PDB file of all heavy atoms in Angstrom:
ATOM      1  N   LEU A 272     252.589   8.922 -54.392  1.00  0.00           N
ATOM      2  CA  LEU A 272     251.592   7.947 -54.820  1.00  0.00           C
ATOM      3  C   LEU A 272     250.198   8.343 -54.343  1.00  0.00           C
ATOM      4  O   LEU A 272     249.207   8.148 -55.061  1.00  0.00           O
ATOM      5  CB  LEU A 272     251.952   6.560 -54.289  1.00  0.00           C
ATOM      6  CG  LEU A 272     253.351   6.041 -54.645  1.00  0.00           C
ATOM      7  CD1 LEU A 272     253.548   4.629 -54.102  1.00  0.00           C
ATOM      8  CD2 LEU A 272     253.589   6.075 -56.145  1.00  0.00           C
ATOM      9  N   ALA A 274     249.056  11.406 -53.832  1.00  0.00           N
ATOM     10  CA  ALA A 274     248.565  12.514 -54.666  1.00  0.00           C
ATOM     11  C   ALA A 274     248.011  11.976 -55.982  1.00  0.00           C
ATOM     12  O   ALA A 274     246.924  12.381 -56.429  1.00  0.00           O
ATOM     13  CB  ALA A 274     249.698  13.507 -54.925  1.00  0.00           C
ATOM     14  N   TRP A 275     248.728  11.073 -56.617  1.00  0.00           N
ATOM     15  CA  TRP A 275     248.244  10.496 -57.876  1.00  0.00           C
ATOM     16  C   TRP A 275     246.956   9.714 -57.675  1.00  0.00           C
ATOM     17  O   TRP A 275     246.029   9.815 -58.481  1.00  0.00           O
ATOM     18  CB  TRP A 275     249.324   9.589 -58.474  1.00  0.00           C
ATOM     19  CG  TRP A 275     250.529  10.325 -58.971  1.00  0.00           C
ATOM     20  CD1 TRP A 275     250.627  11.668 -59.232  1.00  0.00           C
ATOM     21  CD2 TRP A 275     251.808   9.768 -59.278  1.00  0.00           C
ATOM     22  NE1 TRP A 275     251.889  11.981 -59.667  1.00  0.00           N
ATOM     23  CE2 TRP A 275     252.636  10.842 -59.713  1.00  0.00           C
ATOM     24  CE3 TRP A 275     252.345   8.488 -59.219  1.00  0.00           C
ATOM     25  CZ2 TRP A 275     253.958  10.644 -60.100  1.00  0.00           C
ATOM     26  CZ3 TRP A 275     253.660   8.288 -59.605  1.00  0.00           C
ATOM     27  CH2 TRP A 275     254.456   9.359 -60.036  1.00  0.00           C
ATOM     28  N   ALA A 276     246.897   8.919 -56.585  1.00  0.00           N
ATOM     29  CA  ALA A 276     245.695   8.119 -56.346  1.00  0.00           C
ATOM     30  C   ALA A 276     244.472   8.999 -56.095  1.00  0.00           C
ATOM     31  O   ALA A 276     243.341   8.610 -56.418  1.00  0.00           O
ATOM     32  CB  ALA A 276     245.918   7.181 -55.165  1.00  0.00           C
ATOM     33  N   TRP A 277     244.688  10.185 -55.524  1.00  0.00           N
ATOM     34  CA  TRP A 277     243.582  11.087 -55.212  1.00  0.00           C
ATOM     35  C   TRP A 277     243.317  12.095 -56.328  1.00  0.00           C
ATOM     36  O   TRP A 277     242.538  13.034 -56.142  1.00  0.00           O
ATOM     37  CB  TRP A 277     243.866  11.823 -53.897  1.00  0.00           C
ATOM     38  CG  TRP A 277     243.514  11.009 -52.692  1.00  0.00           C
ATOM     39  CD1 TRP A 277     244.293  10.082 -52.057  1.00  0.00           C
ATOM     40  CD2 TRP A 277     242.265  11.032 -51.991  1.00  0.00           C
ATOM     41  NE1 TRP A 277     243.614   9.540 -50.999  1.00  0.00           N
ATOM     42  CE2 TRP A 277     242.374  10.094 -50.937  1.00  0.00           C
ATOM     43  CE3 TRP A 277     241.069  11.742 -52.147  1.00  0.00           C
ATOM     44  CZ2 TRP A 277     241.323   9.855 -50.048  1.00  0.00           C
ATOM     45  CZ3 TRP A 277     240.033  11.505 -51.261  1.00  0.00           C
ATOM     46  CH2 TRP A 277     240.163  10.574 -50.222  1.00  0.00           C
ATOM     47  N   ASP A 278     243.962  11.929 -57.473  1.00  0.00           N
ATOM     48  CA  ASP A 278     243.752  12.850 -58.603  1.00  0.00           C
ATOM     49  C   ASP A 278     244.060  14.285 -58.216  1.00  0.00           C
ATOM     50  O   ASP A 278     243.322  15.222 -58.535  1.00  0.00           O
ATOM     51  CB  ASP A 278     242.317  12.759 -59.131  1.00  0.00           C
ATOM     52  CG  ASP A 278     242.055  11.460 -59.867  1.00  0.00           C
ATOM     53  OD1 ASP A 278     243.024  10.767 -60.248  1.00  0.00           O
ATOM     54  OD2 ASP A 278     240.869  11.121 -60.070  1.00  0.00           O
ATOM     55  N   ARG A 279     245.194  14.468 -57.537  1.00  0.00           N
ATOM     56  CA  ARG A 279     245.595  15.804 -57.131  1.00  0.00           C
ATOM     57  C   ARG A 279     246.908  16.170 -57.808  1.00  0.00           C
ATOM     58  O   ARG A 279     247.838  15.355 -57.850  1.00  0.00           O
ATOM     59  CB  ARG A 279     245.767  15.890 -55.600  1.00  0.00           C
ATOM     60  CG  ARG A 279     244.480  15.686 -54.814  1.00  0.00           C
ATOM     61  CD  ARG A 279     243.449  16.746 -55.165  1.00  0.00           C
ATOM     62  NE  ARG A 279     242.203  16.641 -54.417  1.00  0.00           N
ATOM     63  CZ  ARG A 279     241.089  16.073 -54.867  1.00  0.00           C
ATOM     64  NH1 ARG A 279     241.070  15.517 -56.088  1.00  0.00           N
ATOM     65  NH2 ARG A 279     239.987  16.059 -54.150  1.00  0.00           N
ATOM     66  N   LEU A 292     260.626   8.219 -59.331  1.00  0.00           N
ATOM     67  CA  LEU A 292     259.197   8.039 -59.584  1.00  0.00           C
ATOM     68  C   LEU A 292     258.598   9.100 -60.493  1.00  0.00           C
ATOM     69  O   LEU A 292     257.841   8.785 -61.423  1.00  0.00           O
ATOM     70  CB  LEU A 292     258.430   8.050 -58.257  1.00  0.00           C
ATOM     71  CG  LEU A 292     258.729   6.960 -57.232  1.00  0.00           C
ATOM     72  CD1 LEU A 292     257.829   7.143 -56.027  1.00  0.00           C
ATOM     73  CD2 LEU A 292     258.539   5.584 -57.835  1.00  0.00           C
ATOM     74  N   ARG A 294     258.014  12.479 -63.011  1.00  0.00           N
ATOM     75  CA  ARG A 294     258.502  13.020 -64.277  1.00  0.00           C
ATOM     76  C   ARG A 294     258.047  14.462 -64.381  1.00  0.00           C
ATOM     77  O   ARG A 294     256.850  14.742 -64.518  1.00  0.00           O
ATOM     78  CB  ARG A 294     257.975  12.179 -65.441  1.00  0.00           C
ATOM     79  CG  ARG A 294     258.474  10.737 -65.366  1.00  0.00           C
ATOM     80  CD  ARG A 294     257.743   9.799 -66.286  1.00  0.00           C
ATOM     81  NE  ARG A 294     258.181   8.411 -66.091  1.00  0.00           N
ATOM     82  CZ  ARG A 294     257.606   7.356 -66.655  1.00  0.00           C
ATOM     83  NH1 ARG A 294     256.565   7.522 -67.450  1.00  0.00           N
ATOM     84  NH2 ARG A 294     258.059   6.144 -66.417  1.00  0.00           N
ATOM     85  N   GLU A 297     255.142  16.253 -66.445  1.00  0.00           N
ATOM     86  CA  GLU A 297     254.190  15.244 -66.908  1.00  0.00           C
ATOM     87  C   GLU A 297     253.226  14.859 -65.789  1.00  0.00           C
ATOM     88  O   GLU A 297     252.022  15.056 -65.912  1.00  0.00           O
ATOM     89  CB  GLU A 297     254.929  14.012 -67.422  1.00  0.00           C
ATOM     90  CG  GLU A 297     255.781  14.263 -68.654  1.00  0.00           C
ATOM     91  CD  GLU A 297     256.416  12.988 -69.161  1.00  0.00           C
ATOM     92  OE1 GLU A 297     255.866  11.892 -68.877  1.00  0.00           O
ATOM     93  OE2 GLU A 297     257.458  13.057 -69.830  1.00  0.00           O
ATOM     94  N   ASP A 298     253.759  14.296 -64.698  1.00  0.00           N
ATOM     95  CA  ASP A 298     252.904  13.878 -63.589  1.00  0.00           C
ATOM     96  C   ASP A 298     253.199  14.644 -62.309  1.00  0.00           C
ATOM     97  O   ASP A 298     252.580  14.394 -61.276  1.00  0.00           O
ATOM     98  CB  ASP A 298     253.021  12.371 -63.345  1.00  0.00           C
ATOM     99  CG  ASP A 298     254.463  11.890 -63.322  1.00  0.00           C
ATOM    100  OD1 ASP A 298     255.296  12.563 -62.699  1.00  0.00           O
ATOM    101  OD2 ASP A 298     254.752  10.841 -63.931  1.00  0.00           O
ATOM    102  N   THR A 325     245.562  19.826 -64.882  1.00  0.00           N
ATOM    103  CA  THR A 325     244.724  18.763 -65.430  1.00  0.00           C
ATOM    104  C   THR A 325     245.570  17.666 -66.055  1.00  0.00           C
ATOM    105  O   THR A 325     245.307  16.468 -65.867  1.00  0.00           O
ATOM    106  CB  THR A 325     243.765  19.343 -66.481  1.00  0.00           C
ATOM    107  OG1 THR A 325     242.921  20.319 -65.854  1.00  0.00           O
ATOM    108  CG2 THR A 325     242.907  18.254 -67.097  1.00  0.00           C
ATOM    109  N   ALA A 326     246.611  18.051 -66.800  1.00  0.00           N
ATOM    110  CA  ALA A 326     247.473  17.063 -67.453  1.00  0.00           C
ATOM    111  C   ALA A 326     248.231  16.230 -66.423  1.00  0.00           C
ATOM    112  O   ALA A 326     248.362  15.008 -66.578  1.00  0.00           O
ATOM    113  CB  ALA A 326     248.447  17.771 -68.390  1.00  0.00           C
ATOM    114  N   MET A 327     248.732  16.875 -65.361  1.00  0.00           N
ATOM    115  CA  MET A 327     249.474  16.134 -64.342  1.00  0.00           C
ATOM    116  C   MET A 327     248.572  15.144 -63.624  1.00  0.00           C
ATOM    117  O   MET A 327     248.980  14.014 -63.322  1.00  0.00           O
ATOM    118  CB  MET A 327     250.117  17.102 -63.345  1.00  0.00           C
ATOM    119  CG  MET A 327     251.284  17.887 -63.926  1.00  0.00           C
ATOM    120  SD  MET A 327     252.356  18.653 -62.671  1.00  0.00           S
ATOM    121  CE  MET A 327     251.221  19.733 -61.825  1.00  0.00           C
ATOM    122  N   VAL A 328     247.340  15.551 -63.341  1.00  0.00           N
ATOM    123  CA  VAL A 328     246.395  14.653 -62.682  1.00  0.00           C
ATOM    124  C   VAL A 328     246.112  13.438 -63.558  1.00  0.00           C
ATOM    125  O   VAL A 328     246.126  12.293 -63.097  1.00  0.00           O
ATOM    126  CB  VAL A 328     245.088  15.405 -62.346  1.00  0.00           C
ATOM    127  CG1 VAL A 328     243.964  14.428 -62.015  1.00  0.00           C
ATOM    128  CG2 VAL A 328     245.311  16.366 -61.186  1.00  0.00           C
ATOM    129  N   SER A 329     245.885  13.670 -64.839  1.00  0.00           N
ATOM    130  CA  SER A 329     245.575  12.572 -65.753  1.00  0.00           C
ATOM    131  C   SER A 329     246.739  11.604 -65.863  1.00  0.00           C
ATOM    132  O   SER A 329     246.564  10.373 -65.786  1.00  0.00           O
ATOM    133  CB  SER A 329     245.232  13.139 -67.132  1.00  0.00           C
ATOM    134  OG  SER A 329     245.008  12.092 -68.061  1.00  0.00           O
ATOM    135  N   ARG A 330     247.944  12.128 -66.007  1.00  0.00           N
ATOM    136  CA  ARG A 330     249.121  11.270 -66.138  1.00  0.00           C
ATOM    137  C   ARG A 330     249.419  10.546 -64.834  1.00  0.00           C
ATOM    138  O   ARG A 330     249.775   9.359 -64.834  1.00  0.00           O
ATOM    139  CB  ARG A 330     250.324  12.119 -66.560  1.00  0.00           C
ATOM    140  CG  ARG A 330     251.594  11.332 -66.800  1.00  0.00           C
ATOM    141  CD  ARG A 330     251.408  10.307 -67.890  1.00  0.00           C
ATOM    142  NE  ARG A 330     252.680   9.638 -68.166  1.00  0.00           N
ATOM    143  CZ  ARG A 330     252.786   8.395 -68.588  1.00  0.00           C
ATOM    144  NH1 ARG A 330     251.691   7.678 -68.780  1.00  0.00           N
ATOM    145  NH2 ARG A 330     253.955   7.861 -68.826  1.00  0.00           N
ATOM    146  N   GLY A 331     249.268  11.226 -63.697  1.00  0.00           N
ATOM    147  CA  GLY A 331     249.481  10.577 -62.416  1.00  0.00           C
ATOM    148  C   GLY A 331     248.525   9.430 -62.183  1.00  0.00           C
ATOM    149  O   GLY A 331     248.907   8.371 -61.672  1.00  0.00           O
ATOM    150  N   ARG A 332     247.253   9.637 -62.586  1.00  0.00           N
ATOM    151  CA  ARG A 332     246.273   8.562 -62.446  1.00  0.00           C
ATOM    152  C   ARG A 332     246.684   7.345 -63.277  1.00  0.00           C
ATOM    153  O   ARG A 332     246.602   6.210 -62.812  1.00  0.00           O
ATOM    154  CB  ARG A 332     244.897   9.054 -62.884  1.00  0.00           C
ATOM    155  CG  ARG A 332     243.778   8.028 -62.679  1.00  0.00           C
ATOM    156  CD  ARG A 332     242.476   8.476 -63.323  1.00  0.00           C
ATOM    157  NE  ARG A 332     242.142   9.844 -62.952  1.00  0.00           N
ATOM    158  CZ  ARG A 332     242.010  10.829 -63.826  1.00  0.00           C
ATOM    159  NH1 ARG A 332     242.187  10.601 -65.123  1.00  0.00           N
ATOM    160  NH2 ARG A 332     241.698  12.045 -63.425  1.00  0.00           N
ATOM    161  N   GLU A 333     247.149   7.570 -64.502  1.00  0.00           N
ATOM    162  CA  GLU A 333     247.603   6.461 -65.345  1.00  0.00           C
ATOM    163  C   GLU A 333     248.776   5.719 -64.703  1.00  0.00           C
ATOM    164  O   GLU A 333     248.809   4.485 -64.693  1.00  0.00           O
ATOM    165  CB  GLU A 333     248.039   6.997 -66.712  1.00  0.00           C
ATOM    166  CG  GLU A 333     246.916   7.551 -67.568  1.00  0.00           C
ATOM    167  CD  GLU A 333     247.452   8.198 -68.830  1.00  0.00           C
ATOM    168  OE1 GLU A 333     248.684   8.111 -69.068  1.00  0.00           O
ATOM    169  OE2 GLU A 333     246.652   8.791 -69.581  1.00  0.00           O
ATOM    170  N   ARG A 334     249.723   6.476 -64.150  1.00  0.00           N
ATOM    171  CA  ARG A 334     250.909   5.855 -63.547  1.00  0.00           C
ATOM    172  C   ARG A 334     250.531   4.994 -62.353  1.00  0.00           C
ATOM    173  O   ARG A 334     251.015   3.861 -62.194  1.00  0.00           O
ATOM    174  CB  ARG A 334     251.893   6.933 -63.081  1.00  0.00           C
ATOM    175  CG  ARG A 334     252.504   7.806 -64.159  1.00  0.00           C
ATOM    176  CD  ARG A 334     253.670   7.180 -64.887  1.00  0.00           C
ATOM    177  NE  ARG A 334     254.635   6.491 -64.067  1.00  0.00           N
ATOM    178  CZ  ARG A 334     255.625   7.083 -63.367  1.00  0.00           C
ATOM    179  NH1 ARG A 334     255.747   8.398 -63.367  1.00  0.00           N
ATOM    180  NH2 ARG A 334     256.475   6.367 -62.688  1.00  0.00           N
ATOM    181  N   VAL A 335     249.671   5.524 -61.505  1.00  0.00           N
ATOM    182  CA  VAL A 335     249.358   4.790 -60.279  1.00  0.00           C
ATOM    183  C   VAL A 335     248.541   3.546 -60.586  1.00  0.00           C
ATOM    184  O   VAL A 335     248.703   2.500 -59.941  1.00  0.00           O
ATOM    185  CB  VAL A 335     248.663   5.702 -59.247  1.00  0.00           C
ATOM    186  CG1 VAL A 335     247.183   5.855 -59.517  1.00  0.00           C
ATOM    187  CG2 VAL A 335     248.891   5.200 -57.829  1.00  0.00           C
ATOM    188  N   GLU A 336     247.672   3.616 -61.589  1.00  0.00           N
ATOM    189  CA  GLU A 336     246.873   2.445 -61.948  1.00  0.00           C
ATOM    190  C   GLU A 336     247.734   1.360 -62.583  1.00  0.00           C
ATOM    191  O   GLU A 336     247.553   0.169 -62.313  1.00  0.00           O
ATOM    192  CB  GLU A 336     245.748   2.855 -62.900  1.00  0.00           C
ATOM    193  CG  GLU A 336     244.646   3.678 -62.238  1.00  0.00           C
ATOM    194  CD  GLU A 336     243.608   4.167 -63.230  1.00  0.00           C
ATOM    195  OE1 GLU A 336     243.809   3.950 -64.457  1.00  0.00           O
ATOM    196  OE2 GLU A 336     242.601   4.757 -62.795  1.00  0.00           O
ATOM    197  N   ARG A 337     248.686   1.762 -63.406  1.00  0.00           N
ATOM    198  CA  ARG A 337     249.472   0.787 -64.144  1.00  0.00           C
ATOM    199  C   ARG A 337     250.658   0.238 -63.337  1.00  0.00           C
ATOM    200  O   ARG A 337     250.966  -0.955 -63.393  1.00  0.00           O
ATOM    201  CB  ARG A 337     249.977   1.407 -65.440  1.00  0.00           C
ATOM    202  CG  ARG A 337     250.723   0.414 -66.349  1.00  0.00           C
ATOM    203  CD  ARG A 337     251.151   1.044 -67.653  1.00  0.00           C
ATOM    204  NE  ARG A 337     252.194   2.051 -67.464  1.00  0.00           N
ATOM    205  CZ  ARG A 337     252.000   3.357 -67.583  1.00  0.00           C
ATOM    206  NH1 ARG A 337     250.810   3.820 -67.900  1.00  0.00           N
ATOM    207  NH2 ARG A 337     252.986   4.206 -67.402  1.00  0.00           N
ATOM    208  N   GLU A 338     251.318   1.116 -62.563  1.00  0.00           N
ATOM    209  CA  GLU A 338     252.582   0.726 -61.945  1.00  0.00           C
ATOM    210  C   GLU A 338     252.519   0.558 -60.428  1.00  0.00           C
ATOM    211  O   GLU A 338     253.323  -0.193 -59.864  1.00  0.00           O
ATOM    212  CB  GLU A 338     253.653   1.774 -62.272  1.00  0.00           C
ATOM    213  CG  GLU A 338     253.899   1.971 -63.760  1.00  0.00           C
ATOM    214  CD  GLU A 338     254.846   3.130 -64.018  1.00  0.00           C
ATOM    215  OE1 GLU A 338     255.912   3.168 -63.379  1.00  0.00           O
ATOM    216  OE2 GLU A 338     254.513   4.005 -64.854  1.00  0.00           O
ATOM    217  N   PHE A 339     251.610   1.245 -59.782  1.00  0.00           N
ATOM    218  CA  PHE A 339     251.627   1.276 -58.319  1.00  0.00           C
ATOM    219  C   PHE A 339     250.277   0.904 -57.716  1.00  0.00           C
ATOM    220  O   PHE A 339     249.973   1.273 -56.586  1.00  0.00           O
ATOM    221  CB  PHE A 339     252.047   2.667 -57.830  1.00  0.00           C
ATOM    222  CG  PHE A 339     253.327   3.159 -58.447  1.00  0.00           C
ATOM    223  CD1 PHE A 339     253.310   4.128 -59.447  1.00  0.00           C
ATOM    224  CD2 PHE A 339     254.541   2.640 -58.046  1.00  0.00           C
ATOM    225  CE1 PHE A 339     254.475   4.578 -60.035  1.00  0.00           C
ATOM    226  CE2 PHE A 339     255.728   3.086 -58.618  1.00  0.00           C
ATOM    227  CZ  PHE A 339     255.696   4.050 -59.618  1.00  0.00           C
ATOM    228  N   GLY A 340     249.466   0.166 -58.467  1.00  0.00           N
ATOM    229  CA  GLY A 340     248.183  -0.271 -57.943  1.00  0.00           C
ATOM    230  C   GLY A 340     248.353  -1.347 -56.883  1.00  0.00           C
ATOM    231  O   GLY A 340     249.313  -2.122 -56.887  1.00  0.00           O
ATOM    232  N   ALA A 343     248.556  -5.041 -58.276  1.00  0.00           N
ATOM    233  CA  ALA A 343     249.795  -5.334 -58.993  1.00  0.00           C
ATOM    234  C   ALA A 343     250.951  -5.558 -58.025  1.00  0.00           C
ATOM    235  O   ALA A 343     251.758  -6.492 -58.192  1.00  0.00           O
ATOM    236  CB  ALA A 343     250.118  -4.191 -59.953  1.00  0.00           C
TER     237      ALA A 343
END
Side-chain angles (χ1 to χ4, degrees):
L272 305 182
W275 291 343
W277 278 86
D278 289 344
R279 295 299 182 261
L292 298 182
R294 298 167 185 172
E297 295 184 24
D298 47 44
T325 299
M327 289 197 300
V328 165
S329 176
R330 183 60 176 150
R332 184 189 311 120
E333 292 174 5
R334 296 279 317 279
V335 81
E336 289 175 354
R337 185 177 68 252
E338 301 173 50
F339 308 104

